Amino acid sequence: MRKEFDLSKKDFFGGRVLVTGGAGFIGSHLCERLLERGNDVLCVDNFFTGRRGNIGHLLQHPRFELMRHDVTFPLYVEVDQIYNLACPASPVHYQFDPVQTTKTSVVGAINMLGLAKRLKIPVLQASTSEVYGDPSVHPQPESYWGNVNPIGPRSCYDEGKRCAETLFFDYRRQHNLDIKVIRIFNTYGPRMHPSDGRVVSNFIVQALRGEDITLYGNGEQTRSFCYVDDLVEGIIGMMETPSDVTGPINLGNPGEFTMRELAEIVKELTGSQSRLVHRPLPQDDPKQRRPDITQAQETLGWEPTVALRQGLTKTIAYFDELLKAA
Ligand code: NAD
Ligand code: UDP
Ligand code: UDP
């Protein structure tokens, strides 16, 4: 039996929660936080980029259940809420099998929306700042429609996520589904995959190993980095909003840094002697990115609390352990 719950109550008990992509970087932190809050958690993952190690410490938890499943196939389970995070997120991983990436976003969204429709439950989509592409408006508010190349190497991810957003809003209009769409900006923290090619994990691993730190292009492109604990609070905060709050809503840290600045900070915090070297800039790499989080502040009362140096220190400690154990 599904539990009744009051979405207008800030501290409602969400019952049994499905997290797709729950064995991934963000998903594993979300599962952990939901268990702490008292939810039952069903983690669904096909382990494409997720790892059992990310959730190994949860496997014995009496309210945690793990299911190996690919969201491009239908899923018939009984739950009270869905967080749809399943999708490879780093350029290296999502470009490995681009057709599967689009299928995961689009067919995965259809299946999760179909499940939510049958159960009449809220469903949250982990969308991305990539829907803004290489933005010509800065910082990016939710009202900006984006500047996305539909046929480039990043398109499988960007357009897949854009189509998933379309599906969420069409299920809302057509079936009055309780949807929530968040646009996540670059997030970092423990349990990032050490070889997924993302800038924070790359720089930290390179610095700890004393290898060259690889700046793509001139290193003047900017990103805004949100610590994973902050993000998870925002994700849950969004799920708890009343059903008239659909988003899309930006979740990220508005602090903006060039990749050169990031490399210097990582060098300083690790005490590394690594050199900065230049590598070609990947095609369609956005030149700048920073979230306008006014909506999240006003609607969710949410904003990040962890400063970059603080979050990097925790992330460095994680990778230090990981590399020593390897
Ligand atoms: P991740 O790669 O660590 O996690 C994704 C998880 O989804 C993995 O566990 C993977 O095995 C699983 N998965 C992939 N395809 C699947 C499929 N077909 N069926 C079932 N499971 C599947 O990435 P992450 O950084 O934790 O990202 C989680 C979500 O957040 C993704 O949807 C991503 O697009 C979104 N997001 C992340 C960031 C970021 O900076 N990390 C930024 C914007 C959006
Ligand atoms: N679906 C699912 N679990 C459910 C209900 C539906 O995985 O509990 C999938 C099923 O594959 C379906 C898709 O969600 O094709 C979309 O469902 P919807 O009811 O919107 O459309 P349908 O294709 O059934 O007409
Ligand atoms: N980047 C870099 N060196 C690296 C990895 C990435 O300079 O070793 C740059 C990359 O070109 C981009 C930024 O860092 O401008 C963020 O890249 P990431 O892949 O982490 O995320 P995304 O491009 O999706 O924001």
Side-chain angles (χ1 to χ4, degrees):
M1 275 294 284
R2 289 191 296 119
K3 292 186 186 71
E4 295 302 318
F5 51 85
D6 178 2
L7 277 174
S8 62
K9 253 177 72 191
K10 194 75 187 138
D11 59 349
F12 84 99
F13 173 67
R16 192 159 179 238
V17 179
L18 166 62
V19 179
T20 75
F25 158 51
I26 297 173
S28 64
H29 287 276
L30 179 61
C31 289
E32 200 173 276
R33 186 76 191 95
L34 290 168
L35 287 170
E36 274 170 24
R37 282 163 39 100
N39 292 105
D40 283 20
V41 175
L42 172 60
C43 167
V44 163
D45 206 295
N46 71 348
F47 292 103
F48 174 49
T49 53
R51 292 170 296 168
R52 283 182 75 85
N54 287 343
I55 44 157
H57 60 301
L58 304 179
L59 291 174
Q60 300 308 317
H61 195 293
R63 283 183 278 103
F64 183 77
E65 193 179 343
L66 172 65
M67 184 191 252
R68 179 186 282 264
H69 173 82
D70 184 324
V71 294
T72 61
F73 295 97
L75 178 66
Y76 287 84
V77 291
E78 309 303 313
V79 288
D80 302 304
Q81 294 179 334
I82 306 170
Y83 290 88
N84 187 34
L85 273 67
C87 187
S90 81
V92 170
H93 284 152
Y94 69 65
Q95 290 172 21
F96 173 77
D97 185 349
V99 173
Q100 175 66 13
T101 298
T102 303
K103 279 189 194 169
T104 293
S105 277
V106 176
V107 182
I110 291 174
N111 286 331
M112 290 310 109
L113 286 160
L115 177 61
K117 181 182 142 204
R118 176 175 66 81
L119 297 174
K120 301 187 175 60
I121 57 168
V123 54
L124 177 145
Q125 168 67 2
S127 189
T128 167
S129 53
E130 285 283 325
V131 300
Y132 302 122
D134 188 2
S136 49
V137 171
H138 192 72
Q140 293 80 54
E142 290 84 351
S143 55
Y144 176 52
W145 289 356
N147 176 33
V148 177
N149 176 358
I151 57 166
R154 295 176 87 100
S155 312
C156 59
Y157 184 71
D158 300 9
E159 297 291 15
K161 289 284 189 179
R162 286 170 66 97
C163 184
E165 287 200 10
T166 307
L167 285 161
F168 268 68
F169 280 85
D170 279 335
Y171 268 78
R172 169 77 174 189
R173 284 184 285 261
Q174 223 171 309
H175 302 297
N176 200 27
L177 214 63
D178 186 358
I179 62 151
K180 313 278 177 199
V181 176
I182 53 166
R183 291 181 178 156
I184 302 172
F185 283 64
N186 296 63
T187 299
Y188 70 101
R191 301 193 202 129
M192 291 184 88
H193 202 294
S195 55
D196 71 3
R198 280 189 268 200
V199 69
V200 173
S201 43
N202 265 15
F203 284 4
I204 293 177
V205 169
Q206 289 163 344
L208 288 174
R209 287 185 173 145
E211 294 169 357
D212 291 345
I213 295 181
T214 51
L215 276 181
Y216 298 166
N218 61 12
E220 295 307 314
Q221 68 273 37
T222 68
R223 292 292 186 275
S224 302
F225 299 101
C226 185
Y227 189 65
V228 65
D229 289 355
D230 278 336
L231 179 79
V232 164
E233 289 308 310
I235 297 179
I236 294 173
M238 182 62 175
M239 183 61 105
E240 290 189 348
T241 53
S243 56
D244 61 324
V245 178
T246 59
I249 202 156
N250 289 339
L251 292 181
N253 189 319
E256 185 181 359
F257 297 85
T258 67
M259 295 311 98
R260 181 180 299 283
E261 285 169 331
L262 178 70
E264 295 292 356
I265 297 171
V266 168
K267 264 191 75 169
E268 178 200 317
L269 294 178
T270 52
S272 171
Q273 299 301 312
S274 292
R275 294 181 311 151
L276 303 190
V277 297
H278 291 273
R279 295 282 177 269
L281 190 68
Q283 189 188 327
D284 296 336
D285 198 274
K287 283 180 279 305
Q288 53 182 4
R289 182 180 293 155
R290 169 156 61 99
D292 177 334
I293 60 162
T294 314
Q295 270 206 45
Q297 285 166 322
E298 288 175 358
T299 312
L300 311 179
W302 175 88
E303 61 184 15
T305 58
V306 181
L308 183 62
R309 280 166 190 275
Q310 209 183 343
L312 282 176
T313 303
K314 295 185 193 189
T315 313
I316 290 166
Y318 167 79
F319 279 110
D320 201 24
E321 283 289 308
L322 196 75
L323 295 184
K324 278 183 188 143

